[in-house]
């Protein structure tokens, strides 16, 4: 079992670096190679996350019916193919904005399958959910630290299409490692029912659990404003402040040191503070951090970008690990795919709306007011966590009726 978790970890590690490079390279590609406007560049982020809103709940039903590992392998191979098509089209000088948007939408749909299956699969390869979630989150943290600087350097030296190709190859790496996992994963016997009814069961399970309900509502509100920030940030730094791709990547890397620190700190913090206090503290710090980004300017005020990145990345890791652990521990195994899908949709469903709103606000108000709106909304989202003071006993992750 430990060996299988290490294979899962290895599959995730390099893939996370590639994904982060792609998140930087694709918006820069449409700006530098296609000549897209800032609003058109924000459509890339919208297309990447639209599938969560359109198909996320249905995916949870399918994942509960299937074995998770084959779903993850197919999703990785599909993402390799669609992302590889972008540099190929660029090399043939036929790349268009429509091609990029279509490719990232298809890749986003495959990512929905992968993310829901991965969250459902983790309890099958490790019994220590806190450390397992922290280890996988550490992969994301290290990738978030390394990839922006590496991606910015690659874009600056050899071009954005090469960076996107590197992203594509990491999905192939992930698929090969996942295929090497040895544990045979049984298919849960289940009676096939109407899709709508099974989707509703997952949504009801989240709403009926006061802890999951509070976490889900916070995720939805936070996602709306966080994606406003993400859709605008790179364009703000490149177009609004005139920073080079290399410096943008460096700022991202320095700020995301906090994510690596958070992934190492969260098991100890959870043991010392308890899940409730740690989660409440994490979401408050997370909200405050996003209010630092609008203060960014060239010169010494770039420090606000770094400080915001450090605090935001640390708190995001802490909050995500605690939320994932509560979610996996409080859900019956036969509902885990649908509950994971519901929670995933609550977080990623508002993402395209937030990205689109970011583009509209930039066009109407400018970069900095848009970032202020995003920061204020992220802080406002902390209100949704308030009910946990009465419904979540300290240091207890399982449900009161021991549904696990």
């Amino acid at each position: 079992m430990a060996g299988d978790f290490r294979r899962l970890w290895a599959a995730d590690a390099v893939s996370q670096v590639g994904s982060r490079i792609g998140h930087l390279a694709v918006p820069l590609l449409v700006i530098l190679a296609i000549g897209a406007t800032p609003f058109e560049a924000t459509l890339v982020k919208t297309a990447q996350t639209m599938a969560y809103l359109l198909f996320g709940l249905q995916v949870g039903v399918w994942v509960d019916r299937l074995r998770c590992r084959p779903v993850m392998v197919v999703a990785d191979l599909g993402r390799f193919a669609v992302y590889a098509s972008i540099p190929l089209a660029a090399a043939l000088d036929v790349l268009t904005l429509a091609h990029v948007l279509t490719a990232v939408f298809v890749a986003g749909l495959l990512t929905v399958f992968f993310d829901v299956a991965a969250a459902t699969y983790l309890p099958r390869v490790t019994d220590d959910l806190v450390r397992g979630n922290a280890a996988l989150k550490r992969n994301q943290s290290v990738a978030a630290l390394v990839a922006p600087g590496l991606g910015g350097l690659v874009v600056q030296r050899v071009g954005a299409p090469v960076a996107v190709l590197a992203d594509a190859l990491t999905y192939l790496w992930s698929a090969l490692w996942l295929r090497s996992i040895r544990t045979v994963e049984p298919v849960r016997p289940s009676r096939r029912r109407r899709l709508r009814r099974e989707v509703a069961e997952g949504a009801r399970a989240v709403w009926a659990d006061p802890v999951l309900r509070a976490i889900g509502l916070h995720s939805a509100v936070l996602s709306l404003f966080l994606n406003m920030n993400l859709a605008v940030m790179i364009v703000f730094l490149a177009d609004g402040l005139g920073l080079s791709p290399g410096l943008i990547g460096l700022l991202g890397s320095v700020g995301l040191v906090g994510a690596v620190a958070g992934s190492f700190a969260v098991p100890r913090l959870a043991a010392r503070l308890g899940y409730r206090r740690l989660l409440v503290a994490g979401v408050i710090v997370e909200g405050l951090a996003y209010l630092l980004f609008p203060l960014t300017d060239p010169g010494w005020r770039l420090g606000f970008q770094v400080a915001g990145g450090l605090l935001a990345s640390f708190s995001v890791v802490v909050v995500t690990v605690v939320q994932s652990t509560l979610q996996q521990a409080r859900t019956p195994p036969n509902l885990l795919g649908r509950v994971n899908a519901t929670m995933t949709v609550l977080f990623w469903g508002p993402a395209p709306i937030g990205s689109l709103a970011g583009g509209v606000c930039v066009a109407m108000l400018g970069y900095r007011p848009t970032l202020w709106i995003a920061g204020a909304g992220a802080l406002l989202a902390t209100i949704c966590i308030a009910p946990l003071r009465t419904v979540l006993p300290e240091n207890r992750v399982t449900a009161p009726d021991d549904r696990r």
Side-chain angles (χ1 to χ4, degrees):
M1 191 70 75
D4 282 343
F5 176 76
R6 284 194 293 269
R7 292 180 178 89
L8 178 65
W9 178 89
D12 184 66
V14 173
S15 178
Q16 288 290 343
V17 175
S19 296
R20 290 284 182 166
I21 290 175
H23 289 166
L24 175 69
V26 175
L28 290 175
L29 175 69
V30 299
I31 293 173
L32 300 175
I34 301 177
T37 66
F39 176 74
E40 288 172 334
T42 63
L43 293 179
V44 172
K45 184 66 176 177
T46 303
Q48 285 175 327
T49 54
M50 182 64 73
Y52 287 97
L53 183 61
L54 297 179
F55 302 107
L57 295 175
Q58 298 93 312
V59 168
V61 175
W62 293 324
V63 167
D64 271 341
R65 293 175 177 177
L66 301 170
R67 289 180 298 157
C68 293
R69 186 170 67 98
V71 172
M72 296 159 68
V73 171
V74 171
D76 272 338
L77 294 175
R79 289 186 289 182
F80 162 70
V82 295
Y83 272 117
S85 74
I86 295 176
L88 177 61
L92 297 174
D93 200 26
V94 294
L95 184 65
T96 63
L97 180 63
H99 182 147
V100 174
L101 293 178
T102 301
V104 298
F105 174 78
V106 174
L109 176 58
L110 294 168
T111 299
V112 176
F113 275 94
F114 188 93
D115 287 351
V116 174
T120 306
Y121 191 52
L122 181 63
R124 302 176 189 179
V125 294
T126 182
D127 295 324
D128 192 337
L129 293 178
V130 173
R131 293 191 181 278
N133 281 307
L136 293 179
K137 199 64 184 176
R138 190 173 304 129
N139 284 344
Q140 297 180 29
S141 303
V142 172
L145 175 64
V146 173
L150 179 61
L153 183 62
V154 171
V155 171
Q156 196 163 309
R157 294 292 179 86
V158 295
V162 176
V164 177
L165 178 60
D167 179 18
L169 291 173
T170 61
Y171 291 120
L172 186 59
W173 162 281
S174 176
L176 293 174
W177 271 104
L178 289 171
R179 282 182 58 85
S180 71
I181 292 178
R182 298 171 182 173
T183 299
V184 177
E185 185 185 2
V187 178
R188 293 187 179 276
S190 62
R191 181 167 57 89
R192 299 295 177 88
R193 294 169 293 167
R194 290 186 178 181
L195 184 67
R196 183 180 301 177
R197 183 174 179 180
E198 294 195 58
V199 166
E201 285 182 349
R204 281 198 300 269
V206 171
W207 188 255
D209 187 309
V211 175
L212 299 184
R213 183 170 65 242
I215 291 172
L217 290 174
H218 171 262
S219 295
V221 177
L222 176 68
S223 175
L224 182 69
F225 295 102
L226 180 130
N227 280 279
M228 284 185 66
N229 176 284
L230 291 176
V232 172
M233 183 56 66
I234 292 178
V235 188
F236 166 62
L237 296 175
D239 181 61
L241 301 185
L243 304 184
S244 69
L247 181 54
I248 293 171
L250 179 62
L251 287 172
S253 294
V254 173
L256 287 166
V257 169
V260 179
S263 67
F264 282 104
V266 64
R268 293 183 180 179
L269 290 174
R272 177 173 296 183
L273 299 178
Y275 293 97
R276 185 183 68 208
R277 283 195 291 268
L278 181 56
L279 188 57
V280 171
V283 298
I284 291 173
V285 173
E286 186 176 23
L288 291 172
Y290 280 92
L291 290 173
L292 297 177
F293 293 123
L295 300 173
T296 303
D297 259 325
W300 68 269
R301 290 173 69 93
L302 290 177
F304 287 112
Q305 182 74 19
V306 174
L310 285 168
L311 290 174
S313 61
F314 182 92
S315 55
V316 164
V317 168
V318 170
V319 169
T320 302
V321 169
V322 174
Q323 288 182 346
S324 297
T325 301
L326 290 169
Q327 182 176 320
Q328 291 159 345
R330 297 177 68 89
T331 304
N334 65 308
L335 283 171
L336 189 53
R338 281 167 284 173
V339 167
N340 286 334
T342 301
M343 299 295 277
T344 299
V345 169
L346 284 171
F347 181 76
W348 287 110
I353 301 172
S355 299
L356 191 60
V360 172
C361 286
V362 165
M364 295 179 62
L365 304 174
Y367 292 116
R368 219 174 291 273
T370 302
L371 292 174
W372 278 116
I373 292 170
L379 184 60
L380 183 66
T382 60
I383 296 173
C384 301
I385 293 294
L388 293 185
R389 295 186 61 186
T390 57
V391 300
L392 180 62
E394 286 297 352
N395 294 318
R396 187 173 186 179
V397 298
T398 52
D401 56 1
D402 294 320
R403 281 175 290 172
R404 179 141 175 102

